[in-house]
Amino acid sequence: MAKLTKNQKIANAKVDANKQYKLYEACELVKEVSYAKFDASVDIAVKRTNANDALTVSVRSEVAEDATNFLTVPASLTFEAGSDTAVLTVTVNDAANMAEGKKYNASIQLDSEQASAYGVNVHTFTFMIPEKWVDFLDEDGKVVYGTYIDDFLCPLMEYPAGYASPARIQKHETDVNRYRVLDPFGRDFFVYMFGDVPGYFQLTPGAYIEFNVADPNNVTVVNNPVNLGASINFSDIGLSPLYLYIESDENGQVPGAVTFQDGVFSFAANKVYIVYEYEGELNILTPTNASGLMSYILPGVVFTDYSLAA
């Protein structure tokens, strides 16, 4: 497989919840994700550029059908005279019955005639109760790291495949079949492996790889292809995000591409790839897992360091 088209975009944008965007003339709402564990209200700060007079602006909203029982958006927003900021308060109702990890959306738009002569945008806000993930801990309550066996970056940088580095692996608090690796190609990885982050890489913290091991012979990698939180700067095409891609067909991931046995997630050679995005397509970086050594190992599991093998 030399090239594949990316059919879906990964859009988990990082948002500064404290940032206030201009409104009234600029008409931009701050986008944010709210995490509510109980009945609550979420305040959305709105700014305007002309603060002379008091102003009430109508708010048009469309709440997704599955969120109508949970989200209430006010019909208007009022600026006091002399104030350039107003607060739109969205009420979260009955949050105890919201499903963990499920996104509930509400689209919000200010009245265009009242807010701006230049038109206004529709902004979608996502409300979600985060799922509960926990670290592996030792008897003293300290985080215990798992292990990543590399068969991608090392060969790419002309190092032998099979080097091991610490990996922060978490388990789901209530679902025994779910695990995730945090920041798989984050700063800690590069510093441990190479002493620093190479200048041609750009990192975005917060990425993770999630595994579901309900079928250990056919482990599901959630949201395949997975954004790895690292981009590589090619001299000819510029900065390109990296993804973990599991070979797939019309039925989903190909059988045996990822397996889980005795605490080890194993990736099959020629079925798992690190790919880069360019002009909407994903392209394979070579070599990628050519030796089939690429794997993640749960904390506490004994493994063989293949980099020391003859």
Side-chain angles (χ1 to χ4, degrees):
M1 186 189 72
K3 184 180 288 189
L4 51 119
T5 301
K6 184 181 180 186
N7 295 321
Q8 58 184 21
K9 295 290 182 181
I10 298 177
N12 294 327
K14 303 299 177 186
V15 178
D16 182 354
N18 297 316
K19 185 174 181 180
Q20 295 181 333
Y21 291 80
K22 292 181 179 179
L23 254 166
Y24 187 33
E25 292 181 3
C27 291
E28 289 296 326
L29 285 169
V30 60
K31 296 181 179 180
E32 63 183 60
V33 179
S34 172
Y35 297 93
K37 296 182 180 179
F38 43 81
D39 290 358
S41 60
V42 178
D43 292 338
I44 302 172
V46 179
K47 284 186 72 74
R48 61 174 176 170
T49 55
N50 185 342
N52 293 333
D53 302 319
L55 175 68
T56 297
V57 181
S58 298
V59 177
R60 301 171 182 174
S61 64
E62 182 177 346
V63 178
E65 184 176 353
D66 59 357
T68 54
N69 293 331
F70 302 118
L71 304 178
T72 302
V73 182
S76 63
L77 173 73
T78 299
F79 292 89
E80 296 182 0
S83 176
D84 65 353
T85 303
V87 175
L88 182 70
T89 300
V90 179
T91 303
V92 180
N93 312 294
D94 195 23
N97 288 316
M98 295 173 72
E100 288 186 6
K102 179 178 173 61
K103 296 180 179 180
Y104 298 90
N105 296 325
S107 297
I108 299 175
Q109 181 184 38
L110 299 187
D111 183 275
S112 59
E113 294 184 1
Q114 297 171 319
S116 172
Y118 305 103
V120 293
N121 294 325
V122 178
H123 297 272
T124 299
F125 290 77
T126 300
F127 300 78
M128 182 177 68
I129 297 178
E131 294 189 275
K132 298 180 179 66
W133 293 90
V134 295
D135 289 301
F136 288 82
L137 304 176
D138 63 14
E139 294 180 354
D140 297 323
K142 296 181 179 179
V143 175
V144 180
Y145 280 68
T147 305
Y148 168 59
I149 306 298
D150 184 75
D151 194 359
F152 158 60
L153 275 180
C154 285
L156 189 67
M157 300 173 70
E158 299 183 351
Y159 287 82
Y163 276 100
S165 67
R168 187 171 181 179
I169 302 176
Q170 295 181 322
K171 53 188 174 182
H172 196 275
E173 187 175 68
T174 58
D175 189 339
V176 298
N177 291 317
R178 296 173 64 191
Y179 300 87
R180 68 178 186 179
V181 179
L182 301 184
D183 287 318
F185 286 167
R187 177 173 178 78
D188 289 347
F189 165 78
F190 282 101
V191 170
Y192 183 89
M193 295 289 279
F194 307 111
D196 202 352
V197 181
Y200 47 87
F201 276 95
Q202 179 174 304
L203 309 183
T204 305
Y208 61 87
I209 304 170
E210 181 180 339
F211 301 97
N212 188 312
V213 301
D215 181 355
N217 295 316
N218 293 289
V219 172
T220 298
V221 174
V222 180
N223 294 325
N224 176 46
V226 181
N227 191 325
L228 293 172
S231 299
I232 188 168
N233 195 4
F234 293 100
S235 59
D236 53 345
I237 64 175
L239 201 64
S240 299
L242 297 181
Y243 294 82
L244 173 69
Y245 175 71
I246 313 302
E247 184 77 63
S248 302
D249 56 26
E250 63 275 8
N251 298 316
Q253 293 176 195
V254 296
V258 184
T259 60
F260 181 69
Q261 184 177 5
D262 299 328
V264 179
F265 298 91
S266 298
F267 299 85
N270 303 317
K271 292 184 180 179
V272 177
Y273 309 90
I274 304 295
V275 297
Y276 66 93
E277 181 181 4
Y278 176 62
E279 294 185 342
E281 293 185 335
L282 296 181
N283 305 268
I284 294 173
L285 279 170
T286 40
T288 301
N289 201 33
S291 303
L293 297 179
M294 186 174 169
S295 59
Y296 282 100
I297 302 167
L298 292 183
V301 175
V302 178
F303 70 98
T304 301
D305 186 347
Y306 292 99
S307 68
L308 302 179

